[in-house]
């Protein structure tokens, strides 16, 4: 069974620090990788996607992909209390199916 | 720009009652449409997806069904709700290419009493 694994957390970081969120996936043939942010009681919001090995930067967010290690991560620089949320890693395993991890809760302390 | 509407936002239903949740997408044509359920503190469970009108694929056998009567309308139904149907129901859309990101509606929080 294809799986996406994330540490459930909570991950606690001080304001202004770098938050590092990690995700591993089981299907070596996966091609598309997404990070969503979900505030408590709200729906997931897409914040990053990455298709190629390496880093992709968007503002304070950097997604990192290593297909050989089946590992994708999200770095949040200059973390703010408003970044406190659950971050979902999602992997498209081919076709129309995307598998979501259970999410990592991030808490940014002011 | 594309928008997705989902309603109602919250719903409280007795066990054994029927269910109908509706989702519509604006600003795009022929999207892929998805229904997910999220239990408290859990990940997203894909229930159904659709690549076109009348085309429904079921991922989890259960007492729920889905229909797509129009290109940008997706409906989740049940004839008789179970306690285990409680959860946060999310509709999502993506462009037809399967590797594109999905975009979610605001969700429906369903409580079964």
């Amino acid at each position: 069974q294809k799986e996406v694994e994330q540490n459930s957390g909570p991950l606690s970081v001080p304001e202004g620090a770098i938050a590092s969120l990690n995700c591993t996936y089981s299907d070596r043939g996966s091609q598309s990788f997404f990070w969503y942010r979900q505030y408590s009681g709200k729906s997931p919001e897409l914040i990053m996607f990455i298709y190629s090995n390496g880093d992709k930067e968007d503002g304070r967010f950097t997604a990192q992909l290593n297909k050989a290690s089946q590992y994708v991560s999200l770095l949040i620089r200059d973390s703010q209390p408003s970044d406190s949320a659950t971050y979902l890693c999602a992997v498209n395993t081919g076709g129309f199916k995307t598998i979501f991890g259970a999410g990592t809760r991030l808490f940014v302390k002011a | 720009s594309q928008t997705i509407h989902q309603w109602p936002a919250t719903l409280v239903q007795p066990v054994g009652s029927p269910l109908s949740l509706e989702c519509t997408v604006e600003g795009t044509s022929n999207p892929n449409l998805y229904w997910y359920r999220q239990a408290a503190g859990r990940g997203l469970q894909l229930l159904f997806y659709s690549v076109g009108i009348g085309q429904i694929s079921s991922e989890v056998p259960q007492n729920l069904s889905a229909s797509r009567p129009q290109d940008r309308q997706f409906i989740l139904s049940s004839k008789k709700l179970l306690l285990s149907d409680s959860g946060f129901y999310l509709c999502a859309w993506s462009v037809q290419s399967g590797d594109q990101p999905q975009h979610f509606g605001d969700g429906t929080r369903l409580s079964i009493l």
Side-chain angles (χ1 to χ4, degrees):
Chain A
Q1 184 168 341
K2 300 173 183 177
E3 295 180 340
V4 175
E5 300 287 342
Q6 296 181 256
N7 188 318
S8 63
L11 172 66
S12 184
V13 300
E15 184 175 359
I18 296 175
S20 179
L21 305 163
N22 304 315
C23 172
T24 59
Y25 59 95
S26 62
D27 186 356
R28 187 170 290 278
S30 300
Q31 296 294 322
S32 310
F33 307 86
F34 312 98
W35 283 100
Y36 289 82
R37 178 176 62 201
Q38 186 175 23
Y39 292 114
S40 180
K42 303 296 185 181
S43 63
E45 172 193 13
L46 178 72
I47 54 173
M48 290 285 291
F49 58 89
I50 186 167
Y51 299 130
S52 304
N53 274 330
D55 295 358
K56 179 181 179 182
E57 187 174 319
D58 183 0
R60 295 187 296 113
F61 299 99
T62 299
Q64 299 176 316
L65 175 61
N66 184 326
K67 290 185 179 181
S69 300
Q70 295 176 239
Y71 178 95
V72 58
S73 64
L74 178 70
L75 301 179
I76 306 175
R77 291 181 300 281
D78 188 25
S79 295
Q80 301 297 310
S82 59
D83 294 326
S84 298
T86 296
Y87 289 81
L88 305 178
C89 173
V91 177
N92 181 273
T93 59
F96 305 103
K97 298 181 187 180
T98 296
I99 298 175
F100 287 78
T104 298
R105 285 187 296 143
L106 172 66
F107 179 61
V108 181
K109 297 177 292 184
Chain B
S1 64
Q2 302 88 0
T3 56
I4 178 169
H5 303 281
Q6 192 180 340
W7 66 93
T10 59
L11 191 59
V12 180
Q13 293 284 93
V15 171
S17 64
L19 173 73
S20 181
L21 303 180
E22 190 164 341
C23 170
T24 59
V25 180
E26 295 178 357
T28 187
S29 296
N30 200 25
N32 291 338
L33 297 173
Y34 308 83
W35 279 111
Y36 289 89
R37 178 170 59 203
Q38 186 177 37
R42 305 289 296 274
L44 299 177
Q45 179 187 32
L46 179 63
L47 302 176
F48 302 94
Y49 69 92
S50 172
V51 300
I53 296 174
Q55 301 178 61
I56 308 294
S57 296
S58 174
E59 289 298 299
V60 183
Q62 54 203 327
N63 66 320
L64 300 173
S65 62
S67 62
R68 184 170 178 175
Q70 300 180 42
D71 180 46
R72 289 169 287 179
Q73 183 185 27
F74 206 22
I75 298 172
L76 182 68
S77 303
S78 175
K79 293 181 179 179
K80 295 180 73 172
L81 287 167
L82 308 173
L83 282 174
S84 58
D85 291 324
S86 292
F88 191 37
Y89 287 81
L90 292 156
C91 180
W93 75 273
S94 71
V95 298
Q96 269 289 325
S97 178
D99 62 352
Q100 296 298 305
Q102 297 175 22
H103 305 275
F104 290 86
D106 289 339
T108 295
R109 193 160 302 281
L110 175 63
S111 298
I112 309 299
L113 303 180

